[in-house]
């Protein structure tokens, strides 16, 4: 999984382009919209929105001619995101999404069915049909298996809060450029800080993960920086998140 994220599924700072007129705030608005759409789909996990965001960033990191066009036009930028969301739903959920509904209702008629289909093809071509890369959620599930014995209730809480933090992190462009494994580790690290009943296990838990994952180094400046950013994000997010999750 770590080999995948560092190679075929890697993203770049596509907003650094001199011709880009879109901004990180535009991207953040689309990400939040994607989460809202997925949350409204009964039986669809929010991880589908996470996958869509990763497709979106990967596509915009490619050399596709459509990328320059999308970065210079907010309307086309949004169309790329819509296409990525549709692809994610088709690939990673059992939800049968109708393109007429996407065009008429979700997009308010801004894009025709034909435009969405064409953009889907552009995205798939640029991504070379590589649609199953690891996500922060995948790494969180894997990392939690490396923790010392903890009761299932705490694990469920830790998983839920960590994934919620990772989802919020992906809406911030500077954090989304980090590898999914780094986002996952930082999310678990910060979530452990919130769990008073596990405070005595925090350092031990982190060491278990570090020891079990090759190449993960707590002294890595990138890892330490993302943990600091995640702590700041957690302070913004924790009050609303704790309203929906019972505190241990």
């Amino acid at each position: 999984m770590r080999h995948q994220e560092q190679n075929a599924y890697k993203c770049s700072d596509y907003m650094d382009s001199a011709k880009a007129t879109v901004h990180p705030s535009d991207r953040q608005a689309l990400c939040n919209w994607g989460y809202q759409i997925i949350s409204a789909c009964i039986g669809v996990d929010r991880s589908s929105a996470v996958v869509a965001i990763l497709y979106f960033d990967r596509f915009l990191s490619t050399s596709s001619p459509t990328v320059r066009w999308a970065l210079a036009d907010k309307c086309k930028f949004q169309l790329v995101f819509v296409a990525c969301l549709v692809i994610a739903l088709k690939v990673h959920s059992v939800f049968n999404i109708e393109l007429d509904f996407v065009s008429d209702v979700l997009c308010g008629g801004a894009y025709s069915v034909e435009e969405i289909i064409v953009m889907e093809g552009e995205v798939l071509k640029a991504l070379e049909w590589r649609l199953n890369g690891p996500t922060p959620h995948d790494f969180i599930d894997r990392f939690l298996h490396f923790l010392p014995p903890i009761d299932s209730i705490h694990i469920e809480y830790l998983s839920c809060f960590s994934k919620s933090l990772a989802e919020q992190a992906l809406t911030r462009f500077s954090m989304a450029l980090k590898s999914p494994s780094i986002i996952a580790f930082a999310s678990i690290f910060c979530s452990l800080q919130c769990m008073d009943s596990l405070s005595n296990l925090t350092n031990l838990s982190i060491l278990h993960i570090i020891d079990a994952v090759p190449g993960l180094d707590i002294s890595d400046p990138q890892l330490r920086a993302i943990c600091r950013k995640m702590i700041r994000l957690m302070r913004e997010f924790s009050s609303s998140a704790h309203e929906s999750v019972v505190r241990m």
Side-chain angles (χ1 to χ4, degrees), residues 82-226:
V82 170
C84 290
L85 190 61
V86 169
I87 295 170
L89 284 169
K90 288 180 177 178
V91 176
H92 291 277
S93 79
V94 296
F95 187 75
N96 183 24
I97 188 164
E98 297 290 341
L99 289 185
D100 285 332
F101 175 79
V102 175
S103 173
D104 297 337
V105 179
L106 298 186
C107 299
Y111 313 108
S112 67
V113 169
E114 291 73 19
E115 286 178 306
I116 296 171
I117 291 174
V118 169
M119 186 58 73
E120 282 186 74
E122 292 289 336
V123 171
L124 292 170
K125 180 181 177 181
L127 297 184
E128 299 179 332
W129 289 81
R130 296 177 184 272
L131 305 176
N132 293 295
T135 70
H137 287 27
D138 293 330
F139 279 107
I140 287 171
D141 288 337
R142 182 67 62 86
F143 290 170
L144 291 180
H145 286 297
F146 300 140
L147 296 181
I150 302 173
D151 66 74
S152 59
I153 295 178
H154 284 98
I155 285 292
E156 182 178 355
Y157 176 92
L158 186 55
S159 175
C160 180
F161 193 60
S162 297
K163 290 178 179 179
S164 295
L165 275 178
E167 289 167 10
Q168 292 303 309
L170 285 176
T171 69
R172 272 64 168 184
F173 185 58
S174 63
M175 297 178 75
L177 290 176
K178 307 301 181 184
S179 60
S181 62
I182 296 296
I183 294 174
F185 178 85
S187 298
I188 293 174
F189 175 82
C190 291
S191 297
L192 282 166
Q193 314 303 312
C194 290
M195 299 179 69
D196 297 337
S197 57
L198 294 182
S199 59
N200 61 322
L201 290 177
T202 298
N203 291 334
L204 179 61
S205 299
I206 295 303
L207 288 175
H208 270 254
I209 296 175
I210 292 291
D211 289 343
V213 182
L216 200 58
D217 182 1
I218 194 62
S219 64
D220 180 0
Q222 179 185 166
L223 183 58
R224 297 174 72 87
I226 194 69

Side-chain angles (χ1 to χ4, degrees), residues 51-64:
V51 171
I53 292 170
L54 294 178
Y55 288 168
F56 184 62
D57 288 333
R58 284 177 51 218
F59 172 74
L60 293 172
S61 299
T62 71
S63 58
S64 169

